[in-house]
Amino acid sequence: MKNITSHLDKDKQEKLGEVLRFGIVGGVATLIQYGVYLLLLQGTSAGVANTVGYAVSFCFNFYASTHFTFHVKANVKHGAGFALSHVVNYLLQMAMLALFIWLGVPKRWAPIPMFCVCVPVNFLLVRFFLKR
């Protein structure tokens, strides 16, 4: 009975660790994306600024997610799944960004509520594709 309990505790700890590591990696990736967005927003549209910021943060995010967050080997299968989850996330981000700008949120601040919607969805998608 003790082995079952310790196994469950270890599983819980690993999942909590994943969430915490995802938070760290996701936080850094989000800051990278938002920084690039703010920089480019001065000379281009919100959509272009977000797209370039997303691409830059994607590169960091893939490396950090495979090596640090989920402790899986970076390979074609994981890369394809990660890319697919990020295509979905990117499309969701673009829709949310457009929605919040349409609702009157200033372009400078519109990514903040966008991230609040998209980051949890992205965690679930990335975890699904990298852990299967």
Side-chain angles (χ1 to χ4, degrees):
M1 184 65 142
K2 188 174 181 177
N3 274 345
I4 293 172
T5 306
S6 68
H7 177 70
L8 291 175
D9 290 341
K10 185 177 179 181
D11 192 45
K12 267 186 180 176
Q13 287 176 346
E14 178 57 30
K15 285 184 180 171
L16 179 60
E18 277 183 1
V19 171
L20 292 174
R21 291 187 307 270
F22 179 85
I24 293 166
V25 170
V28 172
T30 299
L31 288 174
I32 291 168
Q33 180 180 349
Y34 190 51
V36 171
Y37 173 86
L38 290 175
L39 185 68
L40 295 179
L41 189 60
Q42 298 176 19
T44 190
S45 71
V48 170
N50 191 58
T51 298
V52 174
Y54 196 91
V56 171
S57 74
F58 174 86
C59 296
F60 163 78
N61 201 344
F62 177 67
Y63 180 82
S65 290
T66 54
H67 290 83
F68 177 69
T69 303
F70 297 108
H71 303 293
V72 296
K73 185 176 180 178
N75 59 31
V76 173
K77 178 183 172 190
H78 289 140
F82 191 83
L84 179 60
S85 68
H86 276 274
V87 166
V88 173
N89 187 54
Y90 169 75
L91 294 173
L92 180 61
Q93 278 197 12
M94 293 302 284
M96 292 290 103
L97 183 64
L99 174 66
F100 289 119
I101 290 171
W102 180 79
L103 290 172
V105 177
K107 288 180 184 177
R108 180 173 182 80
W109 303 112
I112 304 298
M114 174 196 77
F115 289 135
C116 291
V117 171
C118 296
V119 167
V121 172
N122 190 47
F123 171 76
L124 296 173
L125 289 170
V126 169
R127 186 178 193 286
F128 174 78
F129 283 111
L130 290 183
K131 293 298 270 191
R132 53 177 255 190

